[in-house]
Amino acid sequence: MPDKLLYLEDLYIGQRFISEPRTVSAEQIKQFAAEFDPQPFHLDEVAAAKSVFGGLAASGWHTAAMTMRMLVECRPIAGGLVGAGVEVSWPRPTRPGDTLHVVSEIMEITPSRSKPDRGIVTLRSETRNQNDEVVQITTSKALALRKMALTEEK
């Protein structure tokens, strides 16, 4: 995780963040699915082969959870990544052995009119596999604190 925390004043439209890669195994896919999304195409290779996926596929929510981890590690936003809304889509499945990384770009910055210590940042993030194929697209709004919020806390 980078050392320098980023505040609203440090962010700009077009700023990009790229995560470190993360590989997912069949066992991880099955463990997540067993607990959170127990559908046959996430749990069993034979059943998955007969499904619309044509093979074992990670739950979209598993891909989303891995994406969140990678975003936290590559975007050191002061106060944490506090979500204020998200749209998510999965154009292709995440497969066992895929090595994912996230490319995220700031699309909009809106300082709050009613709370001068913060603003909202709109980000578009693509989670890509080792072939640079997009497996998840997220457009999210996140809280970003101003530097003045830090000085007021002290």
Side-chain angles (χ1 to χ4, degrees):
M1 181 130 169
D3 293 331
K4 183 182 183 293
L5 292 178
L6 299 174
Y7 292 85
L8 190 67
E9 296 88 345
D10 300 318
L11 304 174
Y12 57 89
I13 293 173
Q15 189 172 15
R16 291 172 50 117
F17 302 91
I18 301 174
S19 77
E20 292 295 319
R22 185 175 200 86
T23 301
V24 62
S25 69
E27 184 60 31
Q28 290 168 322
I29 289 171
K30 292 175 187 179
Q31 283 178 344
F32 184 95
E35 187 166 357
F36 300 108
D37 191 357
Q39 299 188 73
F41 40 81
H42 301 319
L43 294 166
D44 177 81
E45 283 89 348
V46 175
K50 297 174 186 174
S51 76
V52 334
F53 295 108
L56 195 66
S59 166
W61 300 115
H62 187 186
T63 301
M66 290 184 291
T67 297
M68 185 66 192
R69 172 70 183 252
M70 289 183 278
L71 288 173
V72 167
E73 291 174 347
C74 80
R75 276 199 327 234
I77 304 295
L81 283 176
V82 178
V86 67
E87 291 180 21
V88 63
S89 64
W90 298 284
R92 71 176 21 86
T94 297
R95 304 284 188 179
D98 276 356
T99 299
L100 305 179
H101 70 281
V102 181
V103 178
S104 186
E105 182 175 346
I106 296 178
M107 306 303 290
E108 185 177 351
I109 299 170
T110 308
S112 175
R113 290 185 211 168
S114 61
K115 297 178 180 161
D117 65 335
R118 66 190 72 178
I120 297 291
V121 178
T122 303
L123 304 127
R124 177 180 161 84
S125 300
E126 293 183 349
T127 306
R128 301 176 183 175
N129 66 19
Q130 66 281 358
N131 300 317
D132 215 30
E133 299 166 324
V134 178
V135 298
Q136 179 177 294
I137 300 167
T138 1
T139 302
S140 58
K141 294 184 182 295
L143 178 72
L145 298 177
R146 288 181 179 253
K147 289 180 185 174
M148 65 185 267
L150 178 67
T151 57
E152 288 177 359
E153 289 176 10
K154 291 184 178 181

